[in-house]
Amino acid sequence: MVQFKAVRKSYGAYPVLADLSFEVSPGEKLALIGPSGSGKTTILRILMTLEEIQAGAILVGGMPLWNSEIASFGARRREAHLHAARRSIGMVFQQFNLFPHMSVLRNVALAPILTQGVSPAAARDLAMQLLEKVGMAGKANSLPAELSGGQKQRAAIARALALKPEVMLFDEVTSALDPELVEEVLNVMRTLATETDMTMLLVTHEMSFARDFADRVLFLDGGRIVEEGPPRRIFRNPQEERTKAFLRKIVAAGLSL
Ligand code: ADP
Ligand code: MG
């Protein structure tokens, strides 16, 4: 469903991803872990077509999202291509970026109306269904400012789901939340992971969640994959020194394994 082939990404002269290659199977739940600055967010932003790459190729659902030919397109043709390519991908960010002046319902219903030509009535129905799914139906008419952080994040998940993505990206969606609000968001994600066949890429510092959620874990450091495997193996029996050191730090910081 997702293929990175020798992807190179730098900001100016500073290399962030160095010939990074990996694949994610349809329906697979992949957790990306690694120290701050290791390139996790960059990987998700590239998939969301928010960042360009300098070399390599990316395929989503077997279709090229990025390759050298697309890189050589003129600006308009390239933007049209990227616009079409990102339709199959949804992303939830660390900072819930809901539109502050719109109700929760409108936040969720808007994109299908604007980008998929869904009728306002059908978009409202879909939005209500999704808000029910994330336990937010009772807040449909509230403004984002009236919500807790956990509620905002659940609304942001519903909004991403409204475009019916085949691939969902989650970037540290609980790390800006007060501790008592983390669990309600993780519960929604757990339900999505078990009840849908969406492909999911998750960046998290919640190692116990990654262990339960993920089919496979990639441990990144310095824009490279240091180690990958099933979560139980990576967490219980890491092979690489850098993985061991990272997991020791996580435990020392009080985050559970
Ligand atoms: P992570 O999410 O694993 O913490 P990031 O993907 O955010 O890592 O960042 C990887 C590296 O790229 C870091 O060294 C970061 O400072 C750098 N970086 C990220 N975004 C930018 C940017 N817009 N401009 C310059 N450097 C950036
Ligand atoms: Mg990040």
Side-chain angles (χ1 to χ4, degrees):
M1 182 58 71
V2 175
Q3 289 171 279
F4 270 53
K5 296 181 173 181
V7 169
R8 197 151 76 229
K9 166 74 184 167
S10 44
Y11 292 108
Y14 179 78
V16 178
L17 303 179
D19 292 334
L20 182 72
S21 299
F22 67 90
E23 297 191 355
V24 192
S25 306
E28 192 177 18
K29 321 299 179 212
L30 179 74
L32 302 168
I33 65 168
S36 181
S38 56
K40 306 180 298 293
T41 294
T42 300
I43 290 170
L44 300 192
R45 286 179 55 85
I46 289 169
L47 267 174
M48 203 60 199
T49 75
L50 299 169
E51 300 283 349
E52 301 192 345
I53 60 175
Q54 276 74 47
I58 297 168
L59 289 96
V60 175
M63 305 290 285
L65 179 90
W66 192 269
N67 57 29
S68 56
E69 188 195 345
I70 293 161
S72 72
F73 285 176
R76 274 180 70 180
R77 187 166 173 213
R78 193 166 65 214
E79 186 42 50
H81 166 77
L82 293 176
H83 186 78
R86 71 174 154 258
R87 277 197 194 141
S88 55
I89 305 171
M91 181 160 178
V92 184
F93 299 83
Q94 179 176 347
Q95 292 302 336
F96 5 86
N97 34 10
L98 296 168
F99 298 115
H101 56 291
M102 287 181 195
S103 71
V104 166
L105 185 71
R106 197 156 164 69
N107 261 286
V108 178
L110 189 65
I113 296 171
L114 292 184
T115 70
Q116 295 180 336
V118 175
S119 76
R124 284 177 70 93
D125 285 350
L126 171 66
M128 273 315 288
Q129 274 174 33
L130 292 170
L131 287 171
E132 252 158 54
K133 192 178 230 165
V134 300
M136 287 288 293
K139 296 287 180 185
N141 295 314
S142 301
L143 289 170
E146 298 166 326
L147 306 179
S148 71
Q151 291 170 334
K152 282 182 205 167
Q153 206 52 305
R154 286 186 283 144
I157 291 170
R159 188 176 59 173
L161 291 173
L163 290 170
K164 302 195 164 85
E166 291 175 277
V167 181
M168 276 280 278
L169 313 175
F170 299 94
D171 192 3
E172 296 194 36
V173 294
T174 60
S175 57
L177 299 179
D178 292 334
E180 72 274 18
L181 302 177
V182 167
E183 203 52 37
E184 67 187 50
V185 176
L186 294 184
N187 277 337
V188 166
M189 293 168 64
R190 226 174 251 126
T191 306
L192 282 180
T194 51
E195 290 182 3
T196 72
D197 53 10
M198 259 184 301
T199 306
M200 298 188 186
L201 278 71
L202 167 90
V203 173
T204 187
H205 287 129
E206 307 273 346
M207 294 300 143
S208 59
F209 182 68
R211 186 188 55 204
D212 298 339
F213 168 95
D215 300 312
R216 186 159 55 104
V217 174
L218 288 191
F219 173 67
L220 292 147
D221 196 8
R224 293 172 190 276
I225 297 167
V226 174
E227 187 161 359
E228 67 175 291
R232 270 159 220 288
R233 205 219 14 94
I234 297 284
F235 294 138
R236 279 197 198 148
N237 191 17
Q239 303 296 305
E240 299 294 327
E241 206 41 59
R242 275 187 290 175
T243 318
K244 291 178 193 170
F246 173 75
L247 294 173
R248 272 198 300 273
K249 267 190 208 151
I250 291 276
V251 172
L255 294 163
S256 65
L257 263 178

